[in-house]
Amino acid sequence: MAIGKDSINSVIGPGSIFEGKFYIAGSLRIDGKFEGDIKTEDALVIGETGKVKTNISAKEVIVSGTLIGNIKAENEVKLEGTGRMLGDITAPYLELQKGVVAKGNITITGGQKKDVRKIVEESFGGIKSLDTKD
């Protein structure tokens, strides 16, 4: 996932504070503070100085700063070494760098449309659900 500076449509710069709804057709980089709702059809980058409190829906997400909230990504999530996160991640692919601090649940689909639990259980050979007690 390579997102160059030229491909970023909007920026919330360092020292800036934004509260509210931010829906964008392009990509967004946050180096300031954001609290509210974000939805983008492209990439969302939280820079090292970025502090974000929201649930994110995006094509790709890179977290180098701090995020409190859940991520749902179409393609990929990358947590860089300076990244700090509290929340759940659902994505086809996840990259974690050394140094990341995170707490939450992850669901990695590998690009499959089928329920992840069913994929794993079928791969194991049709076991009973692990959630049930016999």
Short mmCIF file of all heavy atoms in Angstrom, two decimals, residues 73-76 90-94 107-116 119-120:
data_model
loop_
_atom_site.label_atom_id
_atom_site.label_comp_id
_atom_site.label_asym_id
_atom_site.label_seq_id
_atom_site.Cartn_x
_atom_site.Cartn_y
_atom_site.Cartn_z
N ALA A 73 -11.95 -1.85 6.52
CA ALA A 73 -11.24 -1.50 5.30
C ALA A 73 -11.58 -2.47 4.18
O ALA A 73 -11.68 -3.67 4.42
CB ALA A 73 -9.74 -1.48 5.54
N GLU A 74 -11.72 -1.93 2.98
CA GLU A 74 -11.99 -2.75 1.80
C GLU A 74 -10.78 -3.56 1.38
O GLU A 74 -10.90 -4.69 0.95
CB GLU A 74 -12.37 -1.84 0.63
CG GLU A 74 -13.81 -1.85 0.24
CD GLU A 74 -14.02 -0.93 -0.95
OE1 GLU A 74 -13.59 -1.27 -2.07
OE2 GLU A 74 -14.61 0.14 -0.73
N ASN A 75 -9.59 -2.95 1.47
CA ASN A 75 -8.38 -3.59 0.97
C ASN A 75 -7.38 -3.98 2.06
O ASN A 75 -7.05 -5.14 2.19
CB ASN A 75 -7.66 -2.70 -0.05
CG ASN A 75 -8.43 -2.57 -1.34
OD1 ASN A 75 -9.35 -3.34 -1.62
ND2 ASN A 75 -8.08 -1.58 -2.14
N GLU A 76 -6.88 -2.99 2.80
CA GLU A 76 -5.78 -3.27 3.71
C GLU A 76 -5.70 -2.25 4.84
O GLU A 76 -6.07 -1.11 4.69
CB GLU A 76 -4.46 -3.23 2.92
CG GLU A 76 -3.25 -3.60 3.71
CD GLU A 76 -1.98 -3.63 2.87
OE1 GLU A 76 -2.01 -3.25 1.68
OE2 GLU A 76 -0.95 -4.02 3.42
N THR A 90 -11.48 -4.92 10.79
CA THR A 90 -11.99 -5.88 9.83
C THR A 90 -11.42 -5.49 8.48
O THR A 90 -11.65 -4.36 8.01
CB THR A 90 -13.53 -5.87 9.77
OG1 THR A 90 -14.05 -6.17 11.07
CG2 THR A 90 -14.06 -6.90 8.78
N ALA A 91 -10.66 -6.40 7.87
CA ALA A 91 -10.02 -6.10 6.59
C ALA A 91 -9.55 -7.40 5.93
O ALA A 91 -9.35 -8.40 6.62
CB ALA A 91 -8.81 -5.17 6.81
N PRO A 92 -9.35 -7.37 4.62
CA PRO A 92 -8.81 -8.55 3.95
C PRO A 92 -7.35 -8.82 4.35
O PRO A 92 -6.93 -9.96 4.43
CB PRO A 92 -8.89 -8.21 2.46
CG PRO A 92 -9.91 -7.13 2.36
CD PRO A 92 -9.83 -6.39 3.65
N TYR A 93 -6.58 -7.74 4.58
CA TYR A 93 -5.16 -7.87 4.89
C TYR A 93 -4.78 -6.89 5.99
O TYR A 93 -5.29 -5.77 6.04
CB TYR A 93 -4.31 -7.61 3.64
CG TYR A 93 -4.75 -8.48 2.49
CD1 TYR A 93 -5.56 -7.95 1.49
CD2 TYR A 93 -4.41 -9.82 2.42
CE1 TYR A 93 -6.00 -8.74 0.44
CE2 TYR A 93 -4.85 -10.62 1.38
CZ TYR A 93 -5.64 -10.08 0.39
OH TYR A 93 -6.09 -10.86 -0.62
N LEU A 94 -3.83 -7.30 6.84
CA LEU A 94 -3.36 -6.46 7.95
C LEU A 94 -1.85 -6.55 8.03
O LEU A 94 -1.29 -7.65 8.01
CB LEU A 94 -3.98 -6.92 9.27
CG LEU A 94 -3.45 -6.26 10.55
CD1 LEU A 94 -3.79 -4.77 10.57
CD2 LEU A 94 -4.04 -6.95 11.78
N THR A 107 -10.50 -9.24 12.46
CA THR A 107 -11.09 -10.19 11.53
C THR A 107 -10.40 -9.97 10.20
O THR A 107 -10.56 -8.92 9.58
CB THR A 107 -12.61 -9.96 11.39
OG1 THR A 107 -13.22 -10.08 12.67
CG2 THR A 107 -13.22 -10.98 10.44
N ILE A 108 -9.59 -10.94 9.81
CA ILE A 108 -8.86 -10.87 8.56
C ILE A 108 -9.51 -11.84 7.59
O ILE A 108 -9.52 -13.05 7.84
CB ILE A 108 -7.36 -11.22 8.75
CG1 ILE A 108 -6.75 -10.35 9.85
CG2 ILE A 108 -6.61 -11.08 7.43
CD1 ILE A 108 -6.84 -8.86 9.63
N THR A 109 -10.05 -11.32 6.51
CA THR A 109 -10.84 -12.13 5.59
C THR A 109 -10.02 -12.75 4.46
O THR A 109 -10.53 -13.64 3.78
CB THR A 109 -11.96 -11.29 4.97
OG1 THR A 109 -11.36 -10.27 4.15
CG2 THR A 109 -12.86 -10.68 6.03
N GLY A 110 -8.80 -12.28 4.26
CA GLY A 110 -8.01 -12.79 3.14
C GLY A 110 -8.66 -12.54 1.80
O GLY A 110 -8.37 -13.20 0.82
N GLY A 111 -9.58 -11.60 1.75
CA GLY A 111 -10.28 -11.28 0.52
C GLY A 111 -11.50 -12.16 0.26
O GLY A 111 -12.18 -11.99 -0.74
N GLN A 112 -11.79 -13.08 1.17
CA GLN A 112 -12.94 -13.98 1.01
C GLN A 112 -14.24 -13.26 1.38
O GLN A 112 -14.26 -12.45 2.28
CB GLN A 112 -12.79 -15.20 1.93
CG GLN A 112 -11.55 -16.01 1.67
CD GLN A 112 -11.62 -16.78 0.38
OE1 GLN A 112 -12.66 -17.32 0.03
NE2 GLN A 112 -10.53 -16.79 -0.36
N LYS A 113 -15.31 -13.60 0.70
CA LYS A 113 -16.62 -13.02 1.01
C LYS A 113 -17.37 -13.88 2.03
O LYS A 113 -18.29 -13.41 2.67
CB LYS A 113 -17.47 -12.90 -0.27
CG LYS A 113 -16.85 -12.03 -1.33
CD LYS A 113 -16.80 -10.60 -0.90
CE LYS A 113 -16.22 -9.72 -2.00
NZ LYS A 113 -15.69 -8.49 -1.55
N LYS A 114 -16.98 -15.11 2.17
CA LYS A 114 -17.64 -16.06 3.06
C LYS A 114 -17.30 -15.73 4.52
O LYS A 114 -16.28 -15.13 4.81
CB LYS A 114 -17.12 -17.46 2.72
CG LYS A 114 -17.96 -18.59 3.20
CD LYS A 114 -17.40 -19.89 2.60
CE LYS A 114 -18.27 -21.06 2.96
NZ LYS A 114 -17.72 -22.30 2.42
N ASP A 115 -18.17 -16.15 5.45
CA ASP A 115 -17.94 -15.95 6.88
C ASP A 115 -16.61 -16.58 7.30
O ASP A 115 -16.36 -17.76 7.01
CB ASP A 115 -19.10 -16.57 7.67
CG ASP A 115 -18.92 -16.42 9.16
OD1 ASP A 115 -18.89 -15.27 9.64
OD2 ASP A 115 -18.77 -17.47 9.84
N VAL A 116 -15.78 -15.83 7.98
CA VAL A 116 -14.45 -16.28 8.36
C VAL A 116 -14.52 -17.53 9.25
O VAL A 116 -13.76 -18.48 9.07
CB VAL A 116 -13.66 -15.15 9.06
CG1 VAL A 116 -12.35 -15.65 9.62
CG2 VAL A 116 -13.43 -14.00 8.09
N ILE A 119 -15.11 -20.56 7.11
CA ILE A 119 -13.93 -20.90 6.32
C ILE A 119 -12.95 -21.72 7.17
O ILE A 119 -12.46 -22.77 6.74
CB ILE A 119 -13.22 -19.63 5.79
CG1 ILE A 119 -14.10 -18.93 4.75
CG2 ILE A 119 -11.86 -19.97 5.19
CD1 ILE A 119 -13.61 -17.56 4.34
N VAL A 120 -12.68 -21.26 8.38
CA VAL A 120 -11.72 -21.95 9.25
C VAL A 120 -12.26 -23.30 9.69
O VAL A 120 -11.55 -24.31 9.66
CB VAL A 120 -11.35 -21.07 10.47
CG1 VAL A 120 -10.45 -21.83 11.43
CG2 VAL A 120 -10.67 -19.78 10.00
#
